[in-house]
Amino acid sequence: MSNQRRTSLKDLARELGVSIATVSRALHGSPEIGAEMRRKAKALAEKMNYRPNPFAQSLRKEGPRVIGVVVPNLVTHYYAAVLDGIEIEAARAGYSIISANSHESTLLEARALDNFNSLHVEGIIACLAQDTTDYTHFEQIRGMGIPMVLFGRTCLKELISSVTANGDEAAQQATQHLIDTGSRRIAFIGGPNHLDMVRRRKHGYLEALRNNGIAIDRNMVVCDRIDYDVARHNVAELLARPDRPDALLTFNDIITFAAFTAVKQSDLSIPDDVAIIGFTDDEHACYVTPQLSAIEDQSSLMGERACHLLLRQINGDARVSHEIVPQRIVIRQTSAKHSPSPE
């Protein structure tokens, strides 16, 4: 994927000094066009990295206009809900959605962007894979002038618009709740440290500890892969320590339910032995016993806002914008100890 504006038939026609229709027929090998022109058109198309638009005919017939969406893990409720919000907003404007699952892989993420470029989608909405530390493929898409908005996990804030949650504030409030209800050795179980979403949530957690004069124990901060088995293993190791945590603040739904399982498998009581509050969705939080206290994303709204920003770009708004969708804390049964610990 070259770092330049997407080449059009108009660009080829201008270089060759002929009409767009002539170039189109030449690239399709029409016998109406001389062999020399067919050869020149195909050589120039290869040189300028021209990609035919498979949607062009349907668009001329007022077929669906298309937006591409890349998510790290389509089977989770969070990303499905974001996608639902995107589809709602896109449908209002007459757009259809095609989605790609990066499976948390930078390689698959870059391939999805390249495929969307080849399909000539009118814009792209994406959330970074947890493996992504090199943002070249996002820079290339923007360098081509293709509208783009990131959500959740973001990068290149000076270049790409984004929609995120107030994870730092929510994490601080959740940690404060754990402190207020008797917890003192509170662990943060997060994802990879290079993700801005992880950094924001960890920052809020650390701020709450500092504000309450609680010493920060590095052993209580575990940031690793976003993976159920990895998180369950890490929490089990923490709980086996003689100075184990008495509460857990967990980064997302995968890590939250892995931690919940690890506590149960350790024959510890929730919340009296180990309190838990995690970033997850309201639906699944009610399916476990005891019911989970949760920091809930307005994920569908996040999708709508991301699509709204993208549509503004498609319609010519060149500004880079950043929006924040607030999260809400819902206290249920897993976070408040029945007999608060002494200071």
Side-chain angles (χ1 to χ4, degrees), residues 168-184 186 204-214 247 249 277 295 329 331 335-336 343:
D168 50 350
E169 295 176 19
Q172 185 169 348
Q173 293 168 12
T175 306
Q176 187 64 53
H177 163 72
L178 290 170
I179 295 169
D180 292 342
T181 53
S183 297
R184 289 297 178 270
I186 303 167
Y205 154 80
L206 294 172
E207 281 296 288
L209 296 185
R210 293 187 187 101
N211 291 344
N212 287 271
I214 296 175
L249 174 66
I277 185 166
I295 305 137
I329 298 176
I331 302 305
S335 56
E343 294 290 339

Side-chain angles (χ1 to χ4, degrees), residues 86-105:
I86 293 171
E87 288 179 336
I88 289 170
E89 186 69 16
R92 292 189 186 119
Y95 284 80
S96 295
I97 298 298
I98 52 175
S99 61
N101 192 345
S102 73
H103 297 282
E104 299 284 13
S105 160

Side-chain angles (χ1 to χ4, degrees), residues 2-77:
S2 61
N3 189 16
Q4 61 184 14
R5 183 176 62 83
R6 186 159 54 189
T7 302
S8 67
L9 278 174
K10 184 177 180 180
D11 296 325
L12 299 180
R14 184 186 303 113
E15 288 289 322
L16 292 168
V18 297
S19 70
I20 293 174
T22 297
V23 174
S24 179
R25 285 195 288 267
L27 292 177
H28 285 88
S30 171
E32 299 175 15
I33 306 299
E36 180 63 14
M37 177 55 68
R38 293 201 303 269
R39 184 192 66 77
K40 286 182 177 180
K42 289 177 181 178
L44 183 62
E46 183 176 353
K47 177 182 177 182
M48 296 182 66
N49 196 28
Y50 167 72
R51 304 184 188 215
N53 184 350
F55 292 145
Q57 186 174 3
S58 66
L59 289 173
R60 285 195 296 271
K61 295 178 180 178
E62 298 184 354
R65 306 175 75 181
V66 180
I67 292 169
V69 183
V70 188
V71 297
N73 189 342
L74 191 54
V75 300
T76 66
H77 185 273

